[in-house]
Amino acid sequence: MLKQPDRIVIYPQRKNNPEYLLCWIPPGSFKDVSGNNPDTVTELQEYYPTGIETEFSQEGFDEFGISLPYQIEDLREAYLFLFKSGILVELNFVDVKRLQDYVDKKDDQNIKDLIKRFSDHEITLRDLEHNPILGKLLEEPKSKGHEDPSEAFQKLSGQLDTSD
């Protein structure tokens, strides 16, 4: 079974193409993206009982008639900044709510200093874990299932050698 996070997350389609972001929305989060419309929740549960994967863009959400209670572009910019700085490179999924917490606090001088020190190789990811905002952001969301989605898709497409 593929890993499926238990909350709304974003992630790059491929690690070598972080610009193209996807979003996973588990069934337990349908209420959060439905604008509290019970008919939308019911429809999503009926048609997407295991969850929704969509492009992380307004168009992607519009396709399903849903929306995030956050500014998509602010989250996207923050994700790309943190990914390019190396902070998110080891994560498979980034919790959207925790990323929003970072967006809300990114101008805090302590956070700016930590990111700069990390970028300058003065500190490590382990040092960032002590900051309440960055530490939470660096926690991999809980998932059910065991197989990494990118590896599964590579196997299906024949791009991953499974022989040992």
Side-chain angles (χ1 to χ4, degrees):
M1 177 179 187
L2 292 179
K3 283 185 186 177
Q4 295 178 339
D6 66 350
R7 59 197 65 185
I8 302 172
V9 295
I10 61 175
Y11 50 98
Q13 180 187 29
R14 291 188 195 103
K15 292 280 185 182
N16 63 355
N17 185 15
E19 301 283 327
Y20 188 77
L21 296 175
L22 298 174
C23 182
W24 169 255
I25 305 162
S29 296
F30 287 167
K31 183 179 177 188
D32 299 332
V33 298
S34 69
N36 290 318
N37 181 334
D39 293 334
T40 302
V41 172
T42 300
E43 186 176 307
L44 293 173
Q45 289 171 338
E46 181 180 338
Y47 291 106
Y48 309 102
T50 59
I52 296 170
E53 180 180 69
T54 186
E55 181 180 332
F56 189 70
S57 67
Q58 190 60 54
E59 295 81 18
F61 292 111
D62 289 347
E63 183 178 326
F64 292 94
I66 58 177
S67 63
L68 283 179
Y70 313 115
Q71 294 295 319
I72 294 171
E73 275 310 306
D74 291 347
L75 292 172
R76 179 180 172 69
E77 285 176 25
Y79 180 93
L80 292 174
F81 171 76
L82 293 168
F83 188 89
K84 289 175 182 174
S85 73
I87 292 173
L88 301 180
V89 170
E90 294 183 16
L91 293 177
N92 291 314
F93 305 108
V94 174
D95 182 318
V96 170
K97 288 181 182 177
R98 292 178 179 173
L99 185 59
Q100 181 63 47
D101 289 344
Y102 164 77
V103 168
D104 293 342
K105 304 282 189 201
K106 69 181 174 146
D107 292 329
D108 177 271
Q109 194 58 48
N110 184 41
I111 289 177
K112 284 180 166 182
D113 290 344
L114 285 170
I115 291 172
K116 175 147 179 32
R117 290 179 63 207
F118 177 80
S119 296
D120 292 342
H121 306 288
E122 295 174 13
I123 61 174
T124 66
L125 284 175
R126 288 187 61 95
D127 297 316
L128 296 177
E129 292 173 358
H130 299 293
N131 176 275
I133 300 296
L134 296 174
K136 284 285 190 190
L137 187 62
L138 290 170
E139 290 177 15
E140 188 81 33
K142 292 179 184 169
S143 298
K144 61 181 180 179
H146 62 280
E147 189 171 13
D148 182 76
S150 62
E151 287 182 17
F153 294 128
Q154 287 177 10
K155 284 180 194 173
L156 288 172
S157 67
Q159 295 177 5
L160 182 67
D161 183 10
T162 57
S163 61
D164 289 331

